[in-house]
Amino acid sequence: MAARLGEVSAPARVAGPEEGVTVEELALAARNHGLPLEALRYDVTPPGLHYVLTHYDIPAADPDTWRLTVRGEVREPLTLDLDALRARPAVTRRVTMECAGNGRALLSPRPVSQPWLVEAVGTAEWTGVPLRALLAEAGVRPAAVEAVFTGADHGVERGVEQDYRRGLPLAVAAGDDPGVLVAYAMNGAPLPPQHGHPLRLVVPGWYGMAHVKWLRDITLADRPFTGFQQTTAYRLRQSPEEPGEPVTRIAPRALLLPPGFPDFMSRVRVVRPGEVRLEGRAWSGHAPVARVEVSTDGGAGWQDAELDPPDAAHPWAWRRWRHRWTAAPGRHVLSARATDGQGHTQPLDQPWNRGGFAVNLVQRVEVHCLDGAAGEPEGS
Ligand SMILES: Nc1nc2c(c(=O)[nH]1)N[C@H]1C(S)=C(S)[C@@H](COP(=O)(O)O)O[C@H]1N2
Ligand SMILES: [Mo]
């Protein structure tokens, strides 16, 4: 197999100093879309606007014949169809999910992969069965240390043919904080194909790679999982040789709802002089966001934004923030910076790693404020 896959086994690559985004990166960007940033206005992202990241193809899935197996280091292996899962006590959790590669394309040098800027995020209400209930039912044996989750999608990555598969430490999988879900509904409707129909894992607070879509098997293992998506991909490394640290929980980030209106090609924002109400969202996978600061002068000065009160019902969902700004004619750079309840915050200088993971560099939004004498817009 390795020989046949030779031509698609190129190692992970970092772009050259002058190298623009390649056609391969464009092909990924055309398949995997981000959140249109104006959709930050919704508490819960409407279906279709939530970001999407799929390594391989969206697999064909027949909900009538779908089975989830729970096996390995358990006393009572389970084989469950969707009716059996829907018959169990369900919970709904509002969860902000972010791709671990969000921000990658802004790095210099640029790790070559899905070229996200800042938009790989969304918030959904996921309904399903708590994983800990299924594990309790199966009776996890003392030898188990990890749960390994397998999706029905299949592909090849850097020469390794594989099903999409990820492990979670048993303490996370079977714990009630963050309360992992085996979800069959998103925003009250069956999962859409691109989000894992008919079943997916939801791991509140963790980057997207942990939320295995098209979930078909859970195997309890007596040793840590060492598959591709665990030990080759999703590691924080400076050089390809080092084993690196695993990517786990979401680092804090704040984003602005884009103010004013955009220029079509550059996406630069245009506003009129006077009071502009700035607003956005902020989140962290470690602890709820405790503070958001705003800068309207490119990061020189910072002021506290007004944060929506904490929402105990939704500890894993983003929080809204607001700030009033008086815009004067000229060019401005707006930024927002989140700090969570454990003191994690966002850097102003880029943190770099070879995969471009967990990059939470402060966003910079370029705004052109017209002078008061600007003409009426065409068509108004
Ligand atoms: N089976 C499977 N699960 C997967 C993936 C995948 O390619 N296959 N991609 C992961 C990654 S990298 C992310 S960021 C999230 C994206 O979830 P979404 O497309 O529902 O937003 O799914 C994760 N789960
Ligand atoms: Mo991702």
Side-chain angles (χ1 to χ4, degrees):
M1 186 52 77
R4 267 176 41 219
L5 294 175
E7 66 236 55
V8 288
S9 67
R13 199 166 73 77
V14 171
E18 300 297 317
E19 187 185 338
V21 166
T22 61
V23 169
E24 282 86 355
E25 287 164 286
L26 175 60
L28 288 175
R31 282 183 58 78
N32 296 307
H33 67 76
L35 176 85
L37 293 181
E38 60 274 30
L40 288 165
R41 69 170 71 100
Y42 307 106
D43 290 336
V44 174
T45 307
L49 298 186
H50 192 285
Y51 88 96
V52 172
L53 192 294
T54 297
H55 284 230
Y56 313 129
D57 292 345
I58 298 169
D62 177 357
D64 296 331
T65 58
W66 197 268
R67 298 290 180 273
L68 173 67
T69 47
V70 182
R71 61 201 173 96
E73 293 291 341
V74 294
R75 279 184 284 278
E76 196 70 52
L78 308 174
T79 299
L80 302 166
D81 62 16
L82 286 180
D83 284 342
L85 285 163
R86 286 197 210 96
R88 285 167 166 73
V91 300
T92 297
R93 290 211 169 93
R94 187 180 298 180
V95 175
T96 296
M97 195 190 301
E98 182 178 11
C99 179
N102 203 15
R104 170 187 291 134
L106 295 170
L107 291 183
S108 176
R110 183 181 79 256
V112 175
S113 184
Q114 166 68 30
W116 297 121
L117 300 168
V118 296
E119 63 293 275
V121 65
T123 297
E125 295 208 315
W126 304 99
T127 300
V129 182
L131 177 61
R132 64 190 307 235
L134 293 180
L135 295 182
E137 198 175 319
V140 176
R141 290 207 188 104
V145 299
E146 279 207 1
V148 181
F149 304 89
T150 304
D153 51 332
H154 191 84
V156 54
E157 214 161 322
R158 288 184 248 159
V160 182
E161 189 181 331
Q162 57 189 287
D163 293 338
Y164 188 89
R165 187 172 280 145
R166 285 272 313 178
L168 275 181
L170 187 61
V172 176
D176 55 6
D177 181 18
V180 180
L181 280 188
V182 173
Y184 47 74
M186 179 186 195
N187 300 349
L191 298 183
Q194 70 273 27
H195 292 297
H197 183 80
L199 279 183
R200 83 172 305 166
L201 203 67
V202 173
V203 189
W206 284 54
Y207 278 115
M209 75 283 149
H211 305 230
V212 175
K213 301 192 275 191
W214 311 293
L215 181 65
R216 63 172 181 77
D217 180 70
I218 302 172
T219 295
L220 281 294
D222 64 2
R223 67 201 67 179
F225 177 59
T226 58
F228 183 94
Q229 304 298 342
Q230 209 83 22
T231 52
T232 302
Y234 299 110
R235 310 291 290 199
L236 301 169
R237 318 183 158 90
Q238 296 298 310
S239 79
E241 298 79 37
E242 52 178 302
E245 288 299 312
V247 176
T248 58
R249 288 176 182 268
I250 300 174
R253 190 196 285 278
L255 290 179
L256 279 112
L257 225 150
F261 52 91
D263 171 64
F264 172 58
M265 274 310 295
S266 65
R267 302 297 304 171
V268 165
R269 311 304 304 185
V270 182
V271 300
R272 301 190 194 285
E275 188 183 283
V276 177
R277 283 160 185 268
L278 301 179
E279 125 176 27
R281 302 277 173 175
W283 63 93
S284 165
H286 295 275
V289 166
R291 182 182 194 193
V292 173
E293 298 153 279
V294 173
S295 172
T296 55
D297 57 8
W302 293 87
Q303 283 180 288
D304 276 311
E306 190 189 315
L307 254 187
D308 270 7
D311 186 347
H314 306 298
W316 303 111
W318 56 27
R319 276 176 84 178
R320 187 205 304 267
W321 57 264
R322 301 169 207 266
H323 189 72
R324 281 165 197 253
W325 173 48
T326 306
R331 178 184 172 272
H332 305 275
V333 174
L334 308 184
S335 291
R337 174 169 64 189
T339 303
D340 71 23
Q342 290 179 5
H344 304 278
T345 190
Q346 296 186 245
L348 298 172
D349 294 318
Q350 67 159 21
W352 192 90
N353 65 85
R354 262 193 81 85
F357 296 122
V359 173
N360 66 338
L361 181 67
V362 163
Q363 181 193 23
R364 292 172 64 85
V365 179
E366 190 179 336
V367 178
H368 284 249
C369 179
L370 303 171
D371 61 40
E376 282 297 294
E378 184 188 341
S380 73

